Amino acid sequence: MATPKKPTSKVRETIQEKLVEPAKQAGERARASGAKLAESGPAIGSKIIDHAEANTREAFAAMRAATKAKDLTEVMKIQGDFLREQGARSMTQAREIGELILSIGKDAVGTLRGKE
């Protein structure tokens, strides 16, 4: 016949099962989520540098074209085209960064919730 458990032993087991273990698991998930966020910082920085490089390259290309223009009308056209293209490029770049941040956030929150 099995020995009945003492009430204090049962209380300890219940505390361990209902409080201590879930708290440990939550702490582990929070650490893992924080690690994922920290790992993602360089990806965002790299993407921003890529965008700055592309924008600079396009600006210099437009300046070179403007120096070869035959008259003011052509310079104005080059400038207008550049501004229009830069606006579209900026929207695309903002969307890319936003999607990257959203993806990183979803991944980190999933880890925090215990979903790998």
Side-chain angles (χ1 to χ4, degrees):
M1 188 163 161
T3 309
K5 291 185 179 182
K6 294 181 183 178
T8 54
S9 174
K10 198 170 193 174
V11 168
R12 279 190 195 125
E13 287 178 13
T14 300
I15 289 172
Q16 182 72 22
E17 178 185 324
K18 301 289 183 184
L19 296 175
V20 175
E21 284 305 314
K24 281 183 185 178
Q25 291 172 358
E28 290 168 5
R29 288 192 307 265
R31 273 190 296 281
S33 179
K36 284 189 183 241
L37 287 173
E39 291 170 2
S40 303
I44 294 170
S46 179
K47 183 60 84 172
I48 289 170
I49 290 170
D50 290 346
H51 289 165
E53 184 179 10
N55 293 340
T56 302
R57 197 172 32 253
E58 293 299 324
F60 277 102
M63 286 188 278
R64 281 189 188 93
T67 62
K68 296 175 185 175
K70 294 178 178 88
D71 57 25
L72 184 59
T73 304
E74 192 175 346
V75 170
M76 296 301 288
K77 181 185 179 324
I78 291 167
Q79 184 178 20
D81 291 346
F82 169 75
L83 290 173
R84 191 172 28 265
E85 291 166 3
Q86 181 58 41
R89 202 170 24 258
S90 292
M91 293 298 291
T92 300
Q93 291 168 349
R95 187 175 23 258
E96 286 177 10
I97 295 294
E99 288 170 356
L100 181 59
I101 291 170
L102 182 62
S103 173
I104 291 166
K106 283 181 179 179
D107 193 30
V109 169
T111 299
L112 189 60
R113 290 182 177 169
K115 300 173 185 173
E116 289 295 321

